[in-house]
Structures are given as C-alpha cells and as structure tokens.
Amino acid sequence: MFNSNTSLQVTGTDFEEIKQNFREFIQEKTEFTDYNFEGSTLNFVLDILAYNTYINAFYTNMAVNENFLDTAQIRSNVVSQAKKLGYIPKHTKSARTKLRVTFTPSTPPLGNIIIPKYTQFTAKKDNITHRFHTLEQHVTTNVENFTTEIDVYQGEFNRQTFTYNNEQRTYELVNPDIDLDTLIVRVFPNATSTNSRTYKKQTNLTELNSDSEIYFVEESVDGNYEIFFGDGILGKSLENGNRIEVEYLVSFGALGNDIRGLSPVGYTGYDNLNENTRYEATNVNTNELTYGGADKEDIDSIKFNAPRFYTVQDRLVTARDYEIYLTANYEYIESLNVWGGEDNIPSIPGRVLMAIKPNDGFTLSQERKNALIEDMSSRNVLSIEPIILDPTFVFVTPTIDVNYTSANASSTTAELFEKVSNSISEFERNTLGIFGNSFIRSKFTRAIDDADVAINNNESRILFEKRFTPLFGASNTYSLNFSKRLEQPLPNCAGIVSSNNFRININENLLNLEDDGNGNIKFFYFNNLNEKIFLVGNFGTVNYETGEILIDSVHFIEGDEENNEVSIFVKGESDNYYTINNQILLMSSPIINMFDLSRNQVTRTETIETLGSVSPVFSNNTNVPIRL
C-alpha cells in the first residue's frame, strides 16, 4: 500500500530531480521502510530508471521544440516551419564586378569577336583562387574598337542532368551554396534531343496555368536544393523520359567580395565567322572591387524574417510592409528606412519613400533602383508610388580634450592615444553608419573615458558638418538642411556657422563663411595681418530653428584643394543628433588632445581617420555622386 505519496512525479527534466522523485516514490512503500538507497543495488536500479526517463524526456522535449519555428534548432526544421509561412530562406549570392575587355587583333576578324557565356576569369584573395564567369554572351565589334564592358560572377560552374520520372517528385542539386539567381533549367523531349525549352522559376502562383513552363525550388533536409515541376494545374507537367539539364554557379558568398585584379583564363574571345580563330584579351580593366556576395541565410535570420514576411502576404500596403518585404528578399540591403509621404516634410501624399544603403557601397545603382521599383509596383496598391532616395550624410566633427594622470597609468602616452583612437572608431562602427542611429554625446564621452583607467575625464566640443560639391562654372543656389535646432548667437557676435576654404568668381582670395547672429551668411578672408576682411553683402541665410542653410546665387570656382568639396560646420543647440528619414551619421576627422594632469601639459595632439573622414561619394556599382 502507498502512504502519502501515491503518484510518481514525472514533470522533472533534470537527471538528479528525476532520480529523487523515484526515490521518494519508493520510500513511501512500506516494504522499503528504513531501506538504504545510497549504498545498495537499488541505487544502481534507480540510476538506470532515471537515466532512461531523462533520455525520453529530453527526446520528447526536443521533438516538440522542433515543431515550432521559435524553438527549433535544426536547420531543416526551421526551413520547414518557414516554408509553412511561405518564406524561402535567402540563398548564397555570388560576388560580381564589371570588367572592361579590349582586344587588339593583329589580323582583323572576319566578323565580330564573341566573348562566350561562362568565359572564365580568376583572381586570388587570402591565397584562395576565386573564379569568375560571364553569364551571357557578349559581342565586340570593330566599331567599338573591340572593347566592351561585361559583368562577371564569382563561382564554380556546374551542370547536372536528370531523366524525368513521374514517380520521382524532386531532383536534388548537389551543393548547398548554389546562387539560385544563376540557375538555368532546360527541358528536352528525350535523351538525344537537341531542342529544349527554358523553364522559369515560379514567383507568383496566381499567374500560373496548366501551360506555364515553370519550376519550383526549395531547400532539402540536408541543406541542398531540390527542383520540381508543375502538376498540370499549377504549371506544365513533364512527361516520362524528358531530359532535364540544369546549370548554375556554386559560390563562396561574402568571401568573394573586395577582390581586384581579375585575369582571363586562356582565350577570351573568338571570331563568330570562324570559330577556330581565337583571341586573347589584351587589356582587362579591373579597377572596381567585387561586391554583392552574400552567405546563405542563417537560422536566426530565418526565424526573424519568416513570420514578418508572412504578415505581408506578398502585398505592399503600409510602410512596414515595404520594409519587411525588401529586407526579406534583397540580401544586398544593409540598412533601410521607409516612411509614408504624408509623414514627409513637405508632405507628398500618395507616395511611399524609402532610403536604402547597400552592403557594397553607399548608394544603389540606377539598375538596382529600377529593378526594385518594378518589383514593388507589381505588389503595391496602384495609387501608391514608391520612391527610392539615396542616403544623405551628416558628419559629427569632435574636438576631444582627454585628461589623464600619467602617474596612475600603466600605459605610455602613445598607447593611451591608441586606446582612445580605437574607442572612437569602435563607437562609430557600432552606433553610427546606418539609418535610425543617432549620436548621443554622453555615450560618446563615456566610451572615451572607459578606454583606460588612467583617463580622468574628457571634454568634447561637437560640431556637425555637411558637404557638397559645387556646380563650378556657373552661379547656383545650395540648400543644406541639418534638420536640427542650432545654437543662436547674439547679434553681431561670433557665429555658429563656419566652413573650409573655397574660392568664388568675384574675389581672388581663399574665402570662408560665417553667420552674423542675425541669420545672414557672410564671406570673408584673412589679410596679411590675420584680420578678417568681409566681402560686401550677404551670400545666404541660416534658419536657427530648423537648421536650414541657404547659400544663394554663388559662382564657386574652387572647393577644398583635395576633393573640391565645400564643408559647412554648425554648432547645435544640443550636442545630440537624432536622425530622420534618409540621414546617416558618420564621424569626421576627430581631433584628440591628450592632456597629462600629472605634468599639467598637452602631450599629444593629432587628427585621426574615421569612416567619415573621406566623403562616401560613390558606391562600388554606381558612377552617380551623392548630393548632400
């Protein structure tokens, strides 16, 4: 008979807890009164029972967890759960670049010089050979001096052949790192036929019918990809004996980025009227770094994106829909901000605006913009027009006095300076550089103080900077909006707006500008006595409430001597900066003054390089400058 404990507690998942439950259960039996459970054979039996129960509990727990997206840990199960939400994890993407190829044949060809599909180029990075291929045929003519631009993609070329059998649903591709954008699927009537039809990847079920020549692709249990075809209702069905040929590139993903110096492998072209006449490229211009490579989406990213993608339901209505859809489908987007036209200043109803920063530069190429607009327009409400904006950059320009006590320091001044420099660079990388990230002065100064225990404190003077490249050779008006309330000086006192050097057409001196406290922009230069000489008249205005600066009808003939830019600096009413819309913050050329309290002297003053020290003018894949 049982006494008080008449049921076995089975809710525990810890081995010792399970064993203790068994022990307490048996101790309640009168047959085991005063029995020694620790030093007996029964203790060994309890170990076996507890271990068996523990394994079963662990297995059951894991099996249940793997049935839910949030708790699953095995990739195949995560992919399977995501598939139920209509989400296809992002595949590996091949790095790419554009090459300018020139032939200088000693004997002119009879026809044109053809660069065939899958022509190979190679380059080394970190002692690894990366192969790049063309994905289409290119033609060069004598009219073009046998010069053409081609796109090449990193990866190893592979081809597989299958024979269709209606009892076999799927056909497995043999590598998990296939760039599915390079996948070509052809279907031949039989094993010997030379005529084929190219099937397209399914993108929208609502557009399919029984004659649609499409294929489906999904990730298999082992991480490879499988293709399958229509059933005669959703997509055209294949017939027994059809030959299926697939071609694709197997990519290194992100490892293929940032490579320069591609060289052709063997002959690059041939005469289209005499295929036996082959030509080597005499010049391959590879100044542009490779970009766009991306790794296969990991488990955490799938878990995050799948449920959000499901809420969009392949249609774009709200700003949040656009954000989720673009993030889930375009792996080259590093940072994205979307807002409705009604929230824009000025308001533009009927528009949805988005600022996009790619992971391979700072702006999207026009080609990518056009492709995105076309894709979004097929899914959005007809009355809504999507507009893509480039980022605009605001630069945080600090002067930092670092006070330290050398008597308490275990590092030299040079080592302390290096630590401060590294903390500033790390602060920029971790807290700036993408849409929505703001500059908080207290966090910045704390990061510097925490660089070393010998640092007592620091005093940081913060200016904010915008840059523009003038339209040289003609008068023009330039508007720069800091979107921030500025500190307003007393009238006729030292202003809060300043600039670097520049020249204009009506004065031969190197000029600067400043405000007069009344909202007017003045130009001036320094004479031989280092006195300020102001030019007659006002050359623009500053709105201290909104942070907008207008430089009106000025004919610039020279900007900064290094890059011909004009930089405008302002002091904000506060040292914090909260970004809006398409603004991105970067750190620009911080000045560090190291002051030793023990010796009461400045020991080092130096300007360091940060990401914003050089203007982010071009992306790797665009020749259009960013206007700031």
Side-chain angles (χ1 to χ4, degrees), residues 98-105 109 111-115 121 137-151 268-270 279-286:
K98 191 177 292 292
L99 306 179
R100 187 172 179 83
V101 179
T102 300
F103 299 90
T104 53
N112 300 321
I113 296 179
I114 305 298
I115 302 175
F121 299 80
Q137 176 179 284
H138 296 269
V139 180
T140 68
T141 67
N142 195 21
V143 175
E144 301 164 325
N145 296 319
F146 297 112
T147 298
T148 188
E149 287 191 343
I150 63 175
D151 290 312
T268 307
Y270 65 90
Y279 301 95
E280 293 183 358
T282 53
N283 184 50
V284 177
N285 187 324
T286 59

Side-chain angles (χ1 to χ4, degrees), residues 252-294:
F252 287 168
L255 288 177
N257 292 333
D258 302 323
I259 298 174
R260 179 183 281 122
L262 276 67
S263 301
V265 177
Y267 293 106
T268 307
Y270 65 90
D271 186 342
N272 69 313
L273 296 181
N274 183 3
E275 293 189 9
N276 293 322
T277 303
R278 301 182 179 274
Y279 301 95
E280 293 183 358
T282 53
N283 184 50
V284 177
N285 187 324
T286 59
N287 289 331
E288 188 177 79
L289 291 173
T290 59
Y291 64 91

Side-chain angles (χ1 to χ4, degrees), residues 377-392:
S377 297
S378 68
R379 291 173 167 79
N380 66 353
V381 178
L382 292 179
S383 60
I384 300 296
E385 178 187 356
I387 298 175
I388 299 175
L389 302 177
D390 289 332
T392 62

Side-chain angles (χ1 to χ4, degrees), residues 310-520:
Y310 179 72
T311 64
V312 175
Q313 293 289 302
D314 209 29
R315 86 285 183 267
L316 305 175
V317 180
T318 68
R320 180 63 173 161
D321 291 342
Y322 285 87
E323 183 178 349
I324 292 171
Y325 177 78
L326 292 175
T327 302
N329 287 278
Y330 293 93
E331 65 289 327
Y332 61 73
I333 294 178
E334 178 186 8
S335 183
L336 170 70
N337 192 29
V338 185
W339 64 99
E342 67 279 3
D343 298 324
N344 194 66
I345 301 175
S347 177
I348 45 175
R351 310 287 195 277
V352 58
L353 297 96
M354 58 201 71
I356 299 175
K357 178 183 179 299
N359 54 21
D360 49 42
F362 289 95
T363 60
L364 291 177
S365 66
Q366 193 58 48
E367 178 186 15
R368 279 180 170 176
K369 289 179 182 177
N370 293 341
L372 286 176
I373 293 294
E374 182 179 356
D375 184 21
M376 290 185 288
S377 297
S378 68
R379 291 173 167 79
N380 66 353
V381 178
L382 292 179
S383 60
I384 300 296
E385 178 187 356
I387 298 175
I388 299 175
L389 302 177
D390 289 332
T392 62
F393 293 88
V394 179
F395 302 91
V396 182
T397 306
T399 300
I400 309 141
D401 297 333
V402 180
N403 301 312
Y404 71 100
T405 305
S406 60
N408 299 333
S410 59
S411 303
T412 65
T413 298
E415 291 169 338
L416 279 176
F417 181 89
E418 187 69 20
K419 290 180 180 180
V420 171
S421 175
N422 290 338
S423 69
I424 293 172
S425 298
E426 185 176 353
F427 179 88
E428 181 185 38
R429 288 193 301 270
N430 294 340
T431 64
L432 306 179
I434 62 174
F435 300 113
N437 282 10
S438 300
F439 175 81
I440 308 300
R441 182 183 185 277
S442 60
K443 293 182 179 180
F444 177 64
T445 57
R446 188 182 308 123
I448 295 171
D449 287 345
D450 292 343
D452 193 276
V453 294
I455 296 174
N456 295 69
N457 57 58
N458 72 89
E459 299 173 9
S460 298
R461 297 178 296 284
I462 307 297
L463 295 178
F464 299 105
E465 173 191 358
K466 271 182 167 286
R467 306 168 188 165
F468 67 94
T469 302
L471 179 64
F472 299 110
S475 293
N476 201 15
T477 296
Y478 303 89
S479 176
L480 298 94
N481 194 350
F482 283 86
S483 305
K484 175 180 175 59
R485 190 183 181 97
L486 305 181
E487 181 181 288
Q488 184 166 359
L490 293 173
N492 303 313
C493 294
I496 55 88
V497 181
S498 59
S499 73
N500 62 352
N501 296 327
F502 57 85
R503 295 184 194 272
I504 62 175
N505 65 324
I506 62 174
N507 192 285
E508 63 182 9
N509 294 288
L510 278 175
L511 302 178
N512 297 88
L513 64 78
E514 67 176 31
D515 62 308
D516 62 1
N518 293 308
N520 300 308

